[in-house]
Each structure stands twice: as structure tokens, then as C-alpha cells.
Amino acid sequence: MRAARLIRMALLVQSNPGLTAAALARELDVSERTVIRDAQALQEAGIPVRSERGRTGGYHLAPGYRTRLTTLHPTEAETLFLSGLPSALRDLGLSDAADTARLKLTATLLPSVRAAAEASVRRFHLDAPSWFRDPSAPELLPELARAVWSDRIVELSYARPGRDGSPASAVSRVVEPYGLVLKAGTWYVVARLRDRAGDMAGDMAGNGNGGGWRTYRVDRVTALAPAPGDREVFVRDADFDLAAHWQDRSHEFARALLRTTVTVRLTSWGLGRLPAVVDGAAVEDALASASAPDADGLVTLALPAESEDVAYDQLARLGADVEVLAPASLRARFRERAGALAALYRPEPKEAASGEASGARGQR
């Protein structure tokens, strides 16, 4: 385990001279103290890793030194060949380039490693879109991808969805496109907003601190053009981490949707089924509010929900294993539904008569 980490550290320092101990610790998922010990171990093994202080400091290899640790292990080759997303590459217009790169890489591998890599492609396939939807690449996705690759400022027109059933409205934004994200078959572009003068816009709270991060669904982008004037490219923030940004904003978005709270009482089975019918962020908050089971084993909790309509659709799947206590309007809807179901499934006259006759015979 440590040997693999040492190899990775040496390759990181070789490909990214000047990485600090903190940066290496994040990449290797260890402490800074461990990074320092690993650097000493590499030096003892004859790899000239050195640490330099100052603004241009960090870890470096001696000038002209190159490690010889780049031979791929069969498992590494298998992983590399599995790392591509065929549908995503096709959407981006990169499938031909990816095929060519794979052929070039295959030609450089040893026969044993090449066989392992090719075997992985035959055994595993990733189909990103969800079921029951026809995946289609947004028309402007390849052009937007080129803007992301070249750090080019663009002006995009966007069909912003309306609220409460109102029609979408057209808006225009000048943005720095930082990255593209494929989520369950839908493409999103993460961008930093600029104002018309070319300055950074305020953040999402509007406090003007230079944030201005926005996320747009690419299939709602209706037009794309170079930024007006001579502002063609932007200087990318070296500290920006697309994966971390997406995870944080996704979490915030999921919680922002939870605008109401429903008080419910659940059986143990209903509590166990709750994660299957309610979104993860809501379940997390609800379980934190759960009471201890009462004498009948029932648990009471406050469930965040997007709306009463959404809560009704979700909780109805739990049947009699959930009781809505509040709000009164939602409880009334379940009472009405229960009455309708009872009327729909009331015993047929013959069944009722048969049951009464059986009861009479049992009393004789």
C-alpha cells in the first residue's frame, strides 16, 4: 500500500513541480506529516525529491531527473480503458479522437498488459442515461465544450424555466464556462458570471464578492456566441475543483427545494422504507428529528418536503405504515383518499352475506 503511494507521489511531483505538502496530502488522502515522511523515503530510495521554500517553492525533482515508474500494471490498464464514457464522448464530438488515442495507447503496451486492457472493454459497459428516456445530445454541446477547453468567454442565450406553470423566459448572460457535468443523462455547464462591462458579477447572495457561479442546463441554451468586444479568454482559477463545486452546489440545490415540513408517525417498516420514497437530503434531516419509538413501536418525525403535493405523492406509497399528523390540510387529503379507497374496496353484497352466514353458523 505504501509502495503504491510512494510511486504515485513521485509521479505527481514529476508531472506537477511545486506541489506543496498540503496539496500532496489532499491528492494522496494522507496527512502532511505522512507526505514529509514519504519524501524522505523517496530520497533514501535514490529519487531526488527536494522541498523548496518561498512563493515558487514546494516539492521538486532534481533538474533533468525523470522517474522510470511509468510502466502500466495490467490492473491499471484495465482501469484506464474503463475510464471513458462512450456516450459522453459522442455527445462532445470526441468519440473519433478517443478511439484514435485508445489505439495509440494500445500500441505502446506490452502484450500481456494490452490483453488485460482489451478484456476490460469486453466485460464492462457504462450506460449513463436513466431508463425510459431518449438520450439526445444538445445541439450546442460540442461548441460549448470547445469554449470550456479553450477558456473562452462566451455570451449564451438561455430559456429560463418559469415558476408555477408560467412559460420560460429568454435571458442572455456573459459567462466564463469552467466545466461540463453529465448528471443522469443530462448535461450541465458550470460557469462564472460576468457583467456587461466584463467585471466579475456578485455571488449568488448578491454581495459582489467576485463569486457569481451559475449552473445551466445545456439543453436550455438556445444560442452561443463569442463575448462582445475583445474579451476572448479568461484566466482560470487554479484552485477551482469542478467535482467538489458540483457536489456542494447539488447538496445546496436539493436542500433549497425543501420548502415545507410534514409531521408524520411511522411504523418500523415505514421508517425503513422512507429512504426509498423520499429524497436523501429530506431523509437525513427527518431521521435527525425522529423521536424514540412509543409503546406501539411508532416513531414521530418532521419530514422536509418540496411541497404538500410532493409529500402526498411520496408518502402515499407507504400506505397504512405512515400517518400524517400535520399540516391539517395534508392530513385531510389522506383522510379523503382513505375514505375513497374504503368505498371502492367495500365488500360485495354476496361476500357480506356469506360472511354474516358464516358468523351465524359459528354461533350455533
Side-chain angles (χ1 to χ4, degrees):
M1 184 70 177
R2 189 189 183 199
R5 188 177 71 239
L6 291 174
I7 292 173
R8 189 178 175 202
M9 178 176 173
L11 292 174
L12 283 170
V13 174
Q14 177 173 291
S15 58
N16 300 280
L19 284 176
T20 64
L24 284 168
R26 288 193 297 271
E27 289 287 342
L28 300 170
D29 195 22
V30 296
S31 67
E32 292 185 37
R33 186 182 296 274
T34 299
V35 168
I36 295 172
R37 287 199 299 265
D38 286 352
Q40 293 173 345
L42 288 172
Q43 291 171 352
E44 294 171 0
I47 299 176
V49 175
R50 61 188 186 187
S51 176
E52 298 178 2
R53 298 181 180 276
R55 294 181 58 186
T56 60
Y59 282 92
H60 299 261
L61 292 177
Y65 182 86
R66 303 286 294 178
T67 68
R68 298 180 180 178
L69 305 173
T70 53
T71 300
L72 286 177
H73 185 276
T75 304
E76 296 167 340
E78 292 170 3
T79 305
L80 182 61
F81 272 66
L82 284 173
S83 63
L85 292 163
S87 59
L89 292 171
R90 183 178 59 251
D91 291 350
L92 294 170
L94 297 175
S95 55
D96 289 343
D99 290 341
T100 302
R102 192 175 294 111
L103 286 172
K104 289 181 177 179
L105 177 60
T106 301
T108 65
L109 298 176
L110 295 173
S112 59
V113 180
R114 184 186 311 148
E118 292 174 347
S120 68
V121 177
R122 300 190 193 101
R123 287 169 171 79
F124 300 96
H125 173 68
L126 176 60
D127 186 10
S130 57
W131 285 103
F132 311 117
R133 61 180 297 174
D134 184 19
S136 60
E139 181 180 353
L140 294 174
L141 178 61
E143 185 178 350
L144 188 54
R146 287 191 289 271
V148 171
W149 277 114
S150 58
D151 295 338
R152 193 174 75 246
I153 303 171
V154 295
E155 182 174 13
L156 57 82
S157 298
Y158 185 76
R160 183 168 57 191
R163 294 185 177 181
D164 301 325
S166 59
S169 58
V171 297
S172 179
R173 297 287 185 265
V174 177
V175 300
E176 299 175 351
Y178 262 68
L180 290 163
V181 176
L182 180 61
K183 170 71 171 179
T186 301
W187 283 98
Y188 298 85
V189 58
V190 176
R192 194 156 60 168
L193 192 64
R194 283 177 172 262
D195 60 25
R196 290 289 170 179
D199 299 322
M200 294 310 307
D203 67 4
M204 299 192 78
N207 59 17
N209 68 358
W213 293 105
R214 297 292 190 273
T215 301
Y216 302 98
R217 275 185 58 155
V218 178
D219 59 3
R220 291 178 182 158
V221 176
T222 57
L224 193 66
D230 58 355
R231 293 172 285 121
E232 296 181 355
V233 298
F234 63 93
V235 178
R236 179 175 289 266
D237 183 353
D239 294 330
F240 178 77
D241 185 326
L242 179 61
H245 175 90
W246 178 261
Q247 182 177 4
D248 291 343
R249 293 307 169 97
S250 298
H251 193 66
E252 292 173 7
F253 176 74
R255 289 191 177 280
L257 293 176
L258 305 176
R259 301 186 181 94
T260 190
T261 302
V262 178
T263 304
V264 297
R265 187 156 48 212
L266 296 151
T267 65
S268 58
W269 186 90
L271 186 64
R273 284 281 300 162
L274 193 63
V277 301
V278 177
D279 295 333
V283 172
E284 182 180 340
D285 290 350
L287 294 180
S289 71
S291 69
D294 62 16
D296 296 322
L298 303 178
V299 173
T300 301
L301 51 80
L303 177 67
E306 185 174 343
S307 66
E308 285 192 23
D309 288 339
V310 172
Y312 178 80
D313 290 338
Q314 292 173 336
L315 295 175
R317 304 175 205 174
L318 298 180
D321 287 277
V322 61
E323 178 187 2
V324 174
L325 304 179
S329 56
L330 184 59
R331 182 177 175 86
R333 288 181 66 177
F334 273 96
R335 184 187 301 112
E336 181 181 351
R337 179 172 182 172
L341 287 172
L344 181 63
Y345 291 101
R346 64 181 181 274
E348 297 293 337
K350 293 181 179 180
E351 295 177 0
S354 175
E356 292 174 359
S358 298
R361 286 195 299 270
Q363 292 175 1
R364 288 200 296 268

